[in-house]
Amino acid sequence: MRWSQTLIPTMKEVPADAEVPSHQLMLRAGLIRQLMAGAYTYLPLGLRALKKAEQIVREEMDAAGGIEIFMPALQPIDLFERTGRKDAFGNVLINFHVKRGDRSIHMALGPTHEEVVTDLVSKHISSYRQMPLTLYQIQTKFRNEERPRFGVLRTSEFLMKDAYSFHTSVESLNDTYQRIYRAYCRIFARCGLNYLPVEAESGPIGGDASHEFMIPADNGEDFVVHCKTTGYAANLERAETGRKTPALTATDSPAAMQKVETPNVGSIDAVCKLLKCTPQQMLKTLIYLADEKPVAVLVRGDHEVNENKLRRALNASRIELADTGTIFKVTGAPVGFAGPVGIKCPVVADHDVPLVKDAITGANAEDMHLTGVNIGRDYQLETTYDIRNAVAGDPSPRGEGTLELVHGIEVGHVFKLGTKYSVALDAVFDDEKDARQPIIMGCYGIGVNRIVAGLAETCFDANGLVWPLAVAPYSVILCPLQVTDEETMTVTNTIYNQLQAQGVDVLMDDRDQRPGFKFKDADLIGIPLRVVIGGKGIKEGMIEVKWRWEAEARKIALASAVPVILDMLTARKAEEKAKVPE
């Protein structure tokens, strides 16, 4: 492609409304343009990168046994009503009525396709002999994002690869899950991403049944808990710590417990300000309903309860914060004054709680707190649990190393759905004994836009983007120094045509601009291999080649330019391939 014949509107200045590097660089390099909040046009360079990422996804999904289909973006609202997700999605679901004759049809723009694919399978799969089966598509999704931001990282319209597997047994699901997990590792490695698979919250079947694939990035909106020593990684909702139950014996030399007035304070910060203490000296008591039964949950004042870990610790199906009536019933006080001393419900505590000596807690009385609260004398615990969010410095659950918190961008997710959708939508099969059973499902998603945005967020320098070869819009950019010089353009066109004939995607900057101007644009758009033609080099029978990430160019003989360039590309592809897991 010749630069003069395509659309690459580069920008020299950083757009004022672009907050993160990926957004800034994708705008400046002419990859995207915003139509409205949450909706972007992909310009030629951006679309080429997107299509290359899409093709890698498609190749690996095919190799993993996936069968590609294409489902409608328009979906009938009754499918969401049958699965209960119309209310669960809330305002995120873009739904509307359209008139057809004298009828009003209620439909939605698909935020995802669990309902549609399950409905499809329910009509065509009826026997155990037809499974396992994995169907996937690469399709536009729509979600009413309340706060679209960060360019194409958070939008209302985005390209997603979503796959769904159908099974007769959990064992079969596990096999497919592992196969697609490995395919995801290959996809992200082939795209040149620095990715991190992390444990996520499990699906309905339970166990370690969910993983997210994260791109570590300073501007990522998610937190990843990671131990470099052991390799342990999990999202914040799932992350465990290596802490254990401490001694639950009485504290040595405890202070006297005293009741103090704390009028008009109900938060940790307000109590700390009034009593001139730190949150680490306080025990926070939250009242939850675990399967509708009240339970008091203790964590240190500077920590946060992890409700998923709490649910597992209590072996409960449902966890939610108690209503004000329940709180008053078990504490005798309004919200903000609960404490373990004399509370009228079971108490569970995090591992750190017994370690707080002479703690400050709510007094289970309005406008009152207790100081000098100690385990053994003032409240009792049979054991403790890991029920708070992990924090930096916690020990790894794998026995060595410590945890750190890393910002990450989620780019993929694999999880086990179980029978949630098959039961709701009557997707059943006849087993070997002719008994009707609900189909067991898995679900696997990749944000294709996020692959491109994730690369832009993490692969750049002061001059612009630095694309890996596999996803770069073009592999080679030819920069003739003088487009008005006949000899220069004859040589440039010869190299251009020969590279194209060898299947190389090459961009020729045929604009009549100064060399420095062209070089800056070439660096900005990040094409991996730059070839400079003209000037004294033509007379010397030499041209210059330079990888985007190298500081200096090197000269090669013009007579052997195309074979050398092809060898360079082949060697680079081999380097990138060597990083891809088997």
Side-chain angles (χ1 to χ4, degrees):
M1 176 59 68
R2 300 172 189 271
W3 195 303
S4 63
Q5 296 176 358
T6 186
L7 178 63
I8 309 176
T10 58
M11 303 166 62
K12 303 308 176 188
E13 303 298 325
V14 176
D17 59 345
E19 303 171 82
V20 297
S22 58
H23 192 193
Q24 296 167 1
L25 289 167
M26 291 180 78
L27 287 171
R28 290 189 58 216
L31 272 65
I32 58 172
R33 285 296 182 268
Q34 181 174 305
L35 173 64
M36 61 179 184
Y40 284 82
T41 296
Y42 278 81
L43 303 181
L45 290 184
L47 184 61
R48 288 182 68 88
L50 191 69
K51 289 296 183 183
K52 286 190 174 183
E54 180 182 322
Q55 185 57 28
I56 290 172
V57 171
R58 180 173 285 112
E59 289 170 4
E60 293 297 337
M61 286 304 301
D62 289 349
I67 306 299
E68 187 171 7
I69 60 174
F70 192 80
M71 293 177 277
L74 284 176
Q75 305 179 11
I77 201 69
D78 72 281
L79 287 179
F80 293 96
E81 291 171 340
R82 289 170 65 186
T83 61
R85 290 214 298 176
K86 181 177 181 294
D87 292 334
F89 270 119
N91 194 44
V92 172
L93 184 67
I94 300 175
N95 67 101
F96 46 88
H97 292 81
V98 297
K99 290 196 67 176
R100 289 182 177 171
D102 59 354
R103 296 180 301 152
S104 177
I105 307 298
H106 193 181
M107 60 181 67
L109 287 174
T112 181
H113 278 71
E114 282 88 351
E115 282 85 357
V116 174
V117 76
T118 307
D119 178 70
L120 174 72
V121 166
S122 73
K123 296 171 180 175
H124 298 282
I125 302 296
S126 58
S127 168
Y128 73 95
R129 302 181 198 278
Q130 296 171 279
M131 291 180 283
L133 176 69
T134 300
L135 302 174
Y136 81 93
Q137 66 170 352
I138 300 174
Q139 225 259 38
T140 302
K141 301 290 190 288
F142 301 89
R143 296 178 188 176
N144 181 32
E145 177 59 60
E146 293 283 356
R147 295 174 61 240
R149 57 190 305 215
F150 299 156
V152 298
L153 281 174
R154 187 196 280 187
T155 56
S156 295
E157 178 181 340
F158 53 96
L159 188 66
M160 181 178 177
K161 187 285 300 178
D162 48 325
Y164 308 91
S165 62
F166 303 88
H167 309 270
T168 61
S169 68
V170 172
E171 291 75 19
S172 173
L173 171 58
N174 290 342
D175 289 343
T176 296
Y177 184 92
Q178 290 302 320
R179 187 163 59 250
I180 294 182
Y181 179 100
R182 291 192 294 271
Y184 273 35
C185 292
R186 290 182 53 83
I187 287 167
F188 300 131
R190 285 183 61 186
C191 288
L193 283 170
N194 176 24
Y195 69 97
L196 188 64
V198 306
E199 295 180 13
E201 270 306 295
S202 302
I205 291 180
D208 295 327
S210 179
H211 288 84
E212 293 171 348
F213 290 79
M214 308 292 290
I215 306 168
D218 292 340
N219 294 298
E221 292 189 286
D222 297 309
F223 272 115
V224 176
V225 178
H226 185 217
C227 173
K228 292 181 179 178
T229 303
T230 62
Y232 174 78
N235 66 15
L236 198 58
E237 292 180 340
R238 175 71 184 179
E240 300 173 352
T241 71
R243 299 171 303 130
K244 304 297 181 184
T245 298
L248 302 179
T249 55
T251 305
D252 292 336
S253 305
M257 186 173 68
Q258 296 182 348
K259 185 177 287 188
V260 296
E261 292 187 2
T262 52
N264 302 316
V265 296
S267 69
I268 293 292
D269 289 342
V271 175
C272 288
K273 185 176 181 180
L274 179 66
L275 298 183
K276 296 180 173 57
C277 65
T278 64
Q280 290 89 335
Q281 293 173 262
M282 296 196 63
L283 296 184
K284 181 162 49 179
T285 305
L286 299 171
I287 311 303
Y288 278 87
L289 292 175
D291 294 336
E292 302 184 358
K293 296 179 180 179
V295 57
V297 180
L298 304 184
V299 293
R300 207 170 71 187
D302 59 329
H303 292 155
E304 299 297 329
V305 174
N306 184 307
E307 294 185 0
N308 293 297
K309 292 160 76 170
L310 176 62
R311 174 178 51 79
R312 290 194 293 272
L314 296 176
N315 195 28
S317 299
R318 180 182 174 87
I319 288 285
E320 59 183 332
L321 284 168
D323 57 275
T324 55
T326 299
I327 292 172
F328 190 86
K329 182 178 179 180
V330 300
T331 69
V335 175
F337 298 96
V341 181
I343 199 164
K344 298 175 182 177
C345 67
V347 177
V348 297
D350 181 69
H351 292 316
D352 291 341
V353 166
L355 302 177
V356 182
K357 182 180 178 180
D358 300 331
I360 298 170
T361 75
N364 294 321
E366 186 171 2
D367 293 340
M368 302 295 291
H369 276 74
L370 296 174
T371 64
V373 176
N374 288 276
I375 190 171
R377 184 191 68 186
D378 306 315
Y379 68 97
Q380 309 295 323
L381 294 173
E382 294 183 3
T383 189
T384 57
Y385 303 88
D386 179 8
I387 54 173
R388 66 159 170 83
N389 285 339
V391 297
D394 280 336
S396 169
R398 294 186 179 172
E400 296 181 41
T402 57
L403 301 178
E404 60 180 78
L405 293 184
V406 180
H407 285 281
I409 298 168
E410 183 183 347
V411 69
H413 197 173
V414 293
F415 53 99
K416 300 175 183 178
L417 292 175
T419 59
K420 174 182 177 180
Y421 294 93
S422 56
V423 168
L425 298 173
D426 198 30
V428 297
F429 70 98
D430 292 331
D431 65 15
E432 296 92 331
K433 299 179 181 179
D434 287 332
R436 302 284 273 178
Q437 304 287 350
I439 295 173
I440 298 171
M441 293 176 57
C443 181
Y444 320 89
I446 287 178
V448 184
N449 311 73
R450 285 187 162 222
I451 292 176
V452 176
L455 287 168
E457 188 67 31
T458 56
C459 300
F460 67 92
D461 62 16
N463 297 317
L465 295 164
V466 184
W467 289 107
L469 195 59
V471 187
Y474 292 92
S475 299
V476 178
I477 180 167
L478 302 182
C479 293
L481 296 181
Q482 297 170 309
V483 299
T484 56
D485 180 71
E486 184 177 350
E487 185 179 13
T488 296
M489 292 311 296
T490 297
V491 171
T492 302
N493 281 310
T494 298
I495 295 174
Y496 176 76
N497 292 331
Q498 289 178 355
L499 287 175
Q500 282 199 320
Q502 292 296 320
V504 177
D505 46 353
V506 56
L507 175 66
M508 182 200 298
D509 189 350
D510 59 343
R511 297 174 296 172
D512 187 9
Q513 295 284 356
R514 292 174 288 104
F517 183 91
K518 289 185 175 185
F519 295 165
K520 283 186 177 296
D521 266 357
D523 283 348
L524 177 60
I525 66 177
I527 305 306
L529 187 60
R530 188 183 77 190
V531 180
V532 178
I533 305 162
K536 294 181 180 179
I538 291 284
K539 295 180 175 56
E540 297 171 353
M542 307 293 287
I543 63 173
E544 285 187 353
V545 294
K546 175 184 173 297
W547 288 113
R548 172 64 179 83
W549 45 87
E550 291 180 341
E552 300 294 333
R554 65 186 178 95
K555 292 184 177 181
I556 61 173
L558 177 56
S560 59
V562 170
V564 170
I565 291 170
L566 292 174
D567 287 344
M568 291 175 69
L569 294 173
T570 299
R572 183 61 190 175
K573 289 177 182 177
E575 290 177 18
E576 292 187 356
K577 184 178 180 181
K579 299 177 182 179
V580 179
E582 294 296 331

